[in-house]
Amino acid sequence: MTLRPILIHPDPRLKKLCDPVAAIDRDLRRLADDMLATMYEAPGIGLAAPQVGVLRRLFVMDCIKDHAAAPQPMVLINPEVTWVSEATRTYEEGCLSVPEQFADVTRPAEVRMRWTTLEGKVVEEQFDGLWATCAQHEFDHLNGKLFLDYLGPLKRQMITRKMEKLKRERARETF
Ligand code: K1U
Ligand code: ZN
């Protein structure tokens, strides 16, 4: 298991439409393991493949925040949204590719997704609460969309400038 570096916005790879996963093989299982380890270490509740520079349609999530509770890691391969609720939910979202920035985003409160598991089984499940918010945030990543795209242009630009500064500082620190 390897911790993979998480791309920071702005990065052209975070704006790309990802390609479907063609085969569930050893490399894909290793990628999913690495993504879960990277997500837990960050820490985060979700992580999509493009955030580690892999432009394929899969994401991982575990929205159990209680450290005393058993973890519930999920790997969703080639996810599709099959239904969304009319009711909405607003949540202050963050993103591991936009560190330390948070903003309210309104999305459907419930969502149904169909995906392939690591075992190659096609399953469908309905998510609510934080699971629904996180699944939609991660699904957006696979279509090159960030939570910043739901904000007004001024707020988006302000956060983007902060991230450009952060990246310059981090690049300087590595020399
Ligand atoms: O996709 C990502 O960048 C991960 C992101 C997922 C997410 C957070 C909030 C709403 C929707 C989707 C994160 O995990 S940010 C970190 C975070 O929310 C968190 C970190 C530690 C404990 C609990 C939450
Ligand atoms: Zn994100």
Side-chain angles (χ1 to χ4, degrees), residues 34-149:
D34 290 355
M35 284 171 59
L36 279 167
T38 304
M39 176 191 81
Y40 285 125
E41 200 269 340
I45 54 171
L47 189 70
Q51 293 180 277
V52 293
V54 178
L55 301 184
R56 292 284 166 186
R57 300 189 75 79
L58 80 144
F59 68 79
V60 299
M61 65 175 174
D62 184 347
C63 295
I64 304 292
K65 279 181 167 177
D66 179 358
H67 293 297
Q72 219 172 291
M74 297 189 75
V75 179
L76 287 80
I77 300 165
N78 295 333
E80 295 165 55
V81 174
T82 56
W83 172 84
V84 295
S85 64
E86 270 180 36
T88 59
R89 171 183 201 262
T90 301
Y91 187 78
E92 192 179 48
E93 296 191 13
C95 180
L96 297 175
S97 295
V98 192
E100 286 164 40
Q101 304 300 317
F102 302 90
D104 277 355
V105 178
T106 300
R107 302 179 184 271
E110 293 179 79
V111 62
R112 272 188 91 78
M113 284 193 190
R114 184 191 299 139
W115 69 93
T116 303
T117 66
L118 268 182
E119 293 72 39
K121 219 171 111 187
V122 176
V123 295
E124 192 163 346
E125 200 174 307
Q126 193 158 320
F127 297 110
D128 61 13
L130 186 55
W131 289 91
T133 299
C134 185
Q136 291 173 81
H137 175 115
E138 301 310 330
F139 186 81
D140 274 353
H141 273 301
L142 308 184
N143 294 330
K145 193 165 179 175
L146 298 177
F147 81 104
L148 301 179
D149 296 319

